[in-house]
Every structure is written in structure tokens, then in C-alpha cells.
Amino acid sequence: PDWLSPSPAANRRLKYISLAVLVIQNASLILSIRYVRTLPGDHFFTTSAVVMAEILKVLTCLIILLAQRRGNIRAFVTLLYDSIVVQYRDTLKLSVPSLIYTLQNNLQYVAISNLPAATFQVTYQLKILTTALFSVLMLRKSLSRVQWLSLLLLFTGVAIVQVEQDGSKQKEAAVSPATQSYVKGLLAVVVSCLSSGFAGVYFEKILKGSSASVWLRNVQLGIFGTLLGLLGMWWNDGAAVAEKGFLFGYTPMVWGVIFNQAFGGLLVAVVVKYADNILKGFATSFSIIVSTVTSVYLFGFHVDLLFTLGAGLVIAAVYMYSLPKAVALPPSLGSAASSCSHGDSRMEAFLPKSVLVK
């Protein structure tokens, strides 16, 4: 459709719009999850929220696929049947990243429920390190010296933040120490980063070896994600959900979190096509600042010199890693390389956001 292919002039405007969308989506999702998980009273089942977000994501992608075929139901059904059922081996390949993404989404709820929002936002940038390492190992990608240096700075910054948090044993004013476990949250975010890195690279490998659209891949991922999410909900909260109901504890704020997960990632996946890597890195860095400042006022989070140093190193590392490589190419290859670069950046833009929560 025309709305997916704006004019060059519109692309320039969307660059700045994408910055705002990225910052808002990055910061608001983490802060809103932290907020709803620390409110007094009965809490919703996080496993049911993961399933609900998957369902909404699948429905959204189905609507987009139908719109791309201009409402032709027959062509739409034929596409789904051929892509999902006939080519079932291709579909089954997505069961691996779907399982990991489902685990990751549940772990992020655990992490955000037990860590201050700002600490989670900083620590979760370790996914850049894990994704880079898996890319080198699985895709044989090469990293520039600046990128390797940025990964070192990233690890150092996160380590400083963890030492500061462990040493001071800071607690958010709105949360009782008995309601959270820092170690549990830290383990959850580390495992989430590892799973995010592996699943993202695996998914990229599948995308590069297939002509299927990202929207169709998200439908396939969502089908497995819904089934695996239901299995996880039954395993972890089966008895409680049977007693209290699937939508127990759902408030307008909880629905806002779920809609942010389901639609926010897909929206950013579209908008981010018009932003370069430097802008994406700047948006991620700025969202860390927004999360930290908001946490001070909303949760009583205390920022000291050591945390500022660690977070500053992480922000610098994120920006440095997003800088383009300086590669000298003959003029005849310049345009082709530029085309490939834009194609890769568009694909990579989908990877962190093609599923729930980045």
C-alpha cells in the first residue's frame, strides 16, 4: 500500500518522527510495566499478558497482510495456507526463536518486577553485546574496532551499575524490600539478553534465506508464541487462572502495557525504516535518560555518581556501536553497497521489534 512507501520528502520528516516514537516506546513500556507491577493489590498474571499481546500482534499482522492484498480474501487465505501449512517445514523453523522469545517476554516481566526501571534499562543493553557475539559466531559478521571498543565500554558500564546497585542496596520508595529480589531480577535480565541475542540472529538468518515478508513471519512467530505462551501459563499459573480467570487483574493501565507491547513494536518496525542507525542509537540512549529521570520522580530512584558514570558509558557505547563502518569501496560498487546497507538496516530494524518487548 501507498502508506508503506512514502515519498523521499516524507521520509526526511519521518526521520524525526521516528526518533520521538522510538524514545516514547522504549521508555514508556519499561516504566509502565514497572508501575503496574509495583502497585498495591492484586496483580495480573504476566503469563496471560504475554499470550494476549501475542494474539493482538498476530491479528494486527493479519490485517496488514489482508490490506496488502487489497481485501482479496481468497488471495489472503491462499497465502496463509501455502506459507503456513503447505510449507510446514519452513514454518517449523520458527518454533525455535518463538520458544526463546516467549521465554524472553516472561523473563522481562520478572526482571522489571524486581529491578528499578533505570537499572533494567541500562542492564538490558547487554543484548547489544550478546547479539553482536552471536552475529560473529553464527553469521560470520565482522565488527569494526570502534564496535569492539563500544562493546567493551558497554560491558564496563553495566558492570559499574551492578556494583553500585549491589553495594548500596538501593530500594525504590514505592516498593517494599520483601516484594522484590535484586538477584532474581538480575538473573532474569541476563538470561533475557542471552536469549534475545540468539533468537534475533537466528531470526535474521531465516529472514535472509527466505522471500517471505516480515509480517508473515510475525504471524508464524505469533502462532507458535501463542501456543507456547498458553503452555507456559498452564504450567506456571494454571490453577490460579482457572480459579480467577484469564483477565484477572486487568486494568486500563494493564491493557495499555499489552497494547504497547503488541502494537508499539510493530509500529516502530515500520517507522524505524526511515531512521538511520545513528538515530536509532541516539533514541535508545535518550530513552535511558528519560527512564532514569522519570524513575527519580515516579519511584523515588536515587541516582549517584557511580550510577551516572556506568549509565554514561552505556549510552556512549550504544551510540558508538550504531556508527557506520568506514569502508572504502570503488565507485562502481558504491551504489550497490549502499543499497545492500539500507536493506540490511531495514531488516535489522525489525529484529528487536518484530516480537514483543525489545
Side-chain angles (χ1 to χ4, degrees):
D2 295 338
W3 58 272
L4 286 178
S5 303
S7 65
N11 285 353
R12 288 194 294 271
R13 290 193 297 270
L14 283 171
K15 268 194 168 188
Y16 300 100
I17 296 175
S18 66
L19 172 62
V21 172
L22 281 169
V23 172
I24 293 172
Q25 206 276 337
N26 270 301
S28 66
L29 180 59
I30 294 170
L31 291 169
S32 59
I33 291 178
R34 180 64 178 170
Y35 181 74
V36 297
R37 294 301 294 170
T38 55
L39 287 175
D42 294 326
H43 289 164
F44 64 99
F45 300 112
T46 58
T47 50
S48 77
V50 169
V51 172
M52 180 60 71
E54 286 284 354
I55 293 173
L56 292 175
K57 178 167 67 75
V58 170
L59 291 176
T60 303
C61 292
L62 288 174
I63 292 173
I64 291 174
L65 287 172
L66 181 60
Q68 288 179 338
R69 276 140 194 85
R70 302 186 182 280
N72 188 325
I73 301 294
R74 184 173 181 178
F76 172 69
V77 174
T78 301
L79 170 70
L80 294 180
Y81 179 77
D82 180 66
S83 302
I84 298 175
V85 180
V86 176
Q87 302 180 41
Y88 67 93
R89 291 183 180 178
D90 192 47
T91 302
L92 288 175
K93 291 179 182 178
L94 289 170
S95 62
V96 175
S98 183
L99 172 62
I100 298 174
Y101 280 135
T102 303
L103 172 65
Q104 175 192 344
N105 293 331
N106 282 283
L107 284 174
Q108 285 176 338
Y109 270 110
V110 175
I112 298 175
S113 299
N114 289 278
L115 294 177
T119 303
F120 171 84
Q121 181 82 316
V122 171
T123 308
Y124 193 54
Q125 300 313 311
L126 280 176
K127 67 181 180 179
I128 297 175
L129 172 62
T130 59
T131 301
L133 294 179
F134 280 119
S135 295
V136 171
L137 294 174
M138 296 172 61
L139 300 178
R140 298 293 187 265
K141 284 189 175 182
S142 62
L143 301 179
S144 66
R145 292 181 180 179
V146 172
Q147 287 178 315
W148 281 115
L149 176 60
S150 69
L151 294 178
L152 178 61
L153 288 178
L154 176 69
F155 183 81
T156 303
V158 171
I160 290 174
V161 169
Q162 295 309 318
V163 169
E164 182 271 341
Q165 290 288 301
D166 183 65
S168 63
K169 299 294 183 183
Q170 293 177 6
K171 300 295 180 180
E172 292 181 8
V175 184
S176 168
T179 64
Q180 67 175 2
S181 168
Y182 191 87
V183 174
K184 182 179 180 181
L186 182 59
L187 288 175
V189 76
V190 169
V191 175
S192 182
C193 287
L194 286 170
S195 63
S196 174
F198 176 78
V201 172
Y202 184 93
F203 189 47
E204 179 180 354
K205 193 172 183 178
I206 292 176
L207 281 178
K208 285 186 175 179
S210 170
S211 59
S213 72
V214 175
W215 307 116
L216 181 58
R217 287 306 191 192
N218 272 281
V219 171
Q220 293 171 313
L221 278 173
I223 291 173
F224 283 114
T226 300
L227 295 176
L228 293 169
L230 287 170
L231 180 62
M233 184 182 69
W234 171 79
W235 179 269
N236 194 64
D237 300 311
V241 171
E243 176 187 352
K244 299 180 179 179
F246 182 85
L247 301 179
F248 174 77
Y250 277 42
T251 63
M253 189 67 182
V254 173
W255 277 111
V257 169
I258 293 174
F259 273 75
N260 194 346
Q261 285 183 312
F263 301 135
L266 295 174
L267 173 63
V268 171
V270 174
V271 175
V272 82
K273 289 195 300 180
Y274 313 107
D276 54 32
N277 284 328
I278 296 177
L279 197 61
K280 287 186 288 182
F282 181 77
T284 301
S285 302
F286 192 59
S287 67
I288 294 176
I289 299 174
V290 171
S291 295
T292 302
V293 173
T294 306
S295 294
V296 171
Y297 291 98
L298 192 61
F299 303 118
F301 183 73
H302 176 68
V303 179
D304 60 14
L305 183 61
L306 205 55
F307 180 89
T308 303
L309 174 61
L313 288 176
V314 170
I315 290 172
V318 170
Y319 181 78
M320 286 174 60
Y321 188 82
S322 66
L323 292 174
K325 294 182 182 179
V327 180
L329 291 175
S332 59
L333 297 178
S335 59
S338 176
S339 174
C340 291
S341 174
H342 286 306
D344 286 345
S345 67
R346 282 195 296 267
M347 179 181 296
E348 290 172 0
F350 281 107
L351 298 183
K353 288 293 190 175
S354 61
V355 288
L356 310 180
V357 190
K358 67 174 188 176

